[in-house]
Amino acid sequence: MAIFNGHNHLALGFGMLGNVISFMVYLAPLPTFYRIYKKKSTEGFQSLPYLVALFSSMLWLYYASLKPADATLLITINSLGCVIEIVYIIMFTIYATKDARNLTVKLFMVMNVGSFALIFLVTYFAMHGSLRVQVVGWVCVSIAVGVFAAPLSIVAQVIRTKNVEFMPFNLSLFLTISAVMWFFYGLLLKDICIAIPNILGFTLGLLQMLLYAIYRNGKTNNKEVVTKEEHALEAMKNVVVVNPLGTCEVYPVIGKEINNNGQGIEGAEEKEKGVELGKECPV
């Protein structure tokens, strides 16, 4: 296989490291689903991130199967990703409310079945050779770039509140490392469809770590930055975990309330759930 030949040894190394780190990112929601299993309820969690992650993995798997060069490492990680995300979605539908379950099924049929089938049929039957590979690759890039924009809301929240409670450093660090691995993998194989999204991922990761260094000692009791109204509207936060190949996970996290003195206090529900961002990701 071409990737195992001499000058591609570096690409193999970067790709294997990217596989390992991306696999750990895929496993990040395990504590969440363990809690769902114990409580027999999906609580405030949403299925959309897992449906998007499955859709992205399906597209990357299709792209990898079309590549004329060896794409074993892409096939491996995205095959695992598809299986893991399907398990998450099944568990979610089992314990979700009727409305959440119906919405999940509708989104699955529209996005994961309908949209993927449309992309597959158009590219497979209407396009041939390198054109098909290029079109599918750029579809993957566009979705990856769109998903990478999701954490910008968290970045904006950190800047506005001067607090990094919703942006754990370890997670940002490992996602940045993963982006670097996949960027060099794509670069060494001269595959811009893999390399381009990870430039954005690397940049965003560096920005998150820079913000963490600046605001790591920030406090939530700053009246001038965080008002009672903001906390009332933002009691539920979404922590977006992005896989450098363009998938994401979103974890609802109960925010902190503000008492009459303007000081941040943890809500009773947060204490009950024991949500700690540092524990959401096994890395």
Side-chain angles (χ1 to χ4, degrees):
M1 292 186 293
I3 195 172
F4 296 105
N5 292 337
H7 67 281
N8 279 332
H9 283 168
L10 278 176
L12 173 63
F14 282 116
M16 292 181 67
L17 288 173
N19 265 249
V20 171
I21 298 174
S22 295
F23 177 68
M24 296 174 76
V25 172
Y26 275 123
L27 295 181
L30 281 179
T32 296
F33 279 91
Y34 178 69
R35 182 166 64 250
I36 288 175
Y37 170 75
K38 287 186 65 177
K39 292 182 175 292
K40 310 299 181 185
S41 171
T42 56
E43 302 173 300
F45 295 94
Q46 300 177 359
S47 61
L48 182 60
Y50 310 104
L51 294 169
V52 173
L54 176 61
F55 182 55
S56 181
S57 294
M58 292 167 63
L59 285 174
W60 281 111
L61 190 58
Y62 178 38
Y63 172 71
S65 67
L66 294 176
K67 285 175 62 64
D70 182 76
T72 302
L73 296 176
L74 275 181
I75 293 174
T76 301
I77 188 59
N78 287 289
S79 297
L80 287 172
C82 286
V83 172
I84 293 171
E85 297 301 334
I86 288 173
V87 171
Y88 290 156
I89 294 169
I90 291 174
M91 284 192 64
F92 185 93
T93 56
I94 291 174
Y95 297 112
T97 62
K98 182 178 179 180
D99 290 341
R101 185 182 302 114
N102 290 339
L103 179 60
T104 299
V105 173
K106 290 178 182 178
L107 289 173
F108 178 82
M109 295 303 297
V110 171
M111 179 168 56
N112 299 91
V113 177
S115 297
F116 180 80
L118 180 62
I119 293 171
F120 175 80
L121 291 174
V122 171
T123 56
Y124 192 82
F125 292 104
M127 302 174 188
H128 303 281
S130 60
L131 177 62
R132 179 192 299 160
V133 178
Q134 291 175 5
V135 171
V136 174
W138 283 106
V139 170
C140 292
V141 170
S142 63
I143 293 176
V145 170
V147 170
F148 271 126
L152 293 178
S153 61
I154 301 299
V155 170
Q157 172 70 10
V158 170
I159 295 174
R160 186 170 68 254
T161 63
K162 294 181 172 58
N163 186 276
V164 294
E165 61 179 326
F166 303 113
M167 192 179 67
F169 176 79
N170 288 341
L171 193 53
S172 299
L173 174 62
F174 277 94
L175 288 171
T176 303
I177 295 174
S178 182
V180 172
M181 298 300 106
W182 285 113
F183 167 74
F184 280 108
Y185 174 77
L187 183 66
L188 290 169
L189 293 182
K190 299 179 181 179
D191 190 330
I192 60 174
C193 291
I194 297 176
I196 287 178
N198 289 288
I199 296 175
L200 179 58
F202 174 71
T203 303
L204 181 60
L206 287 180
L207 175 60
Q208 290 176 332
M209 289 189 289
L210 177 62
L211 289 175
Y212 187 91
I214 296 173
Y215 297 121
R216 66 183 184 278
N217 296 321
K219 298 180 180 180
T220 57
N221 59 354
N222 188 338
K223 294 182 182 179
E224 297 179 358
V225 179
V226 183
T227 64
K228 295 181 181 180
E229 289 77 13
E230 285 178 323
H231 277 270
L233 292 173
E234 299 174 354
M236 182 69 77
K237 296 297 178 183
N238 286 330
V239 175
V240 184
V241 179
V242 182
N243 183 312
L245 285 183
T247 64
C248 71
E249 306 291 352
V250 180
Y251 305 98
V253 179
I254 301 300
K256 293 183 178 181
E257 299 176 356
I258 296 294
N259 62 17
N260 294 331
N261 295 323
Q263 294 180 334
I265 57 173
E266 293 185 350
E269 190 174 358
E270 182 180 14
K271 292 181 180 179
E272 177 184 348
K273 291 184 179 180
V275 178
E276 297 181 10
L277 295 179
K279 295 181 181 179
E280 285 290 359
C281 181
V283 297

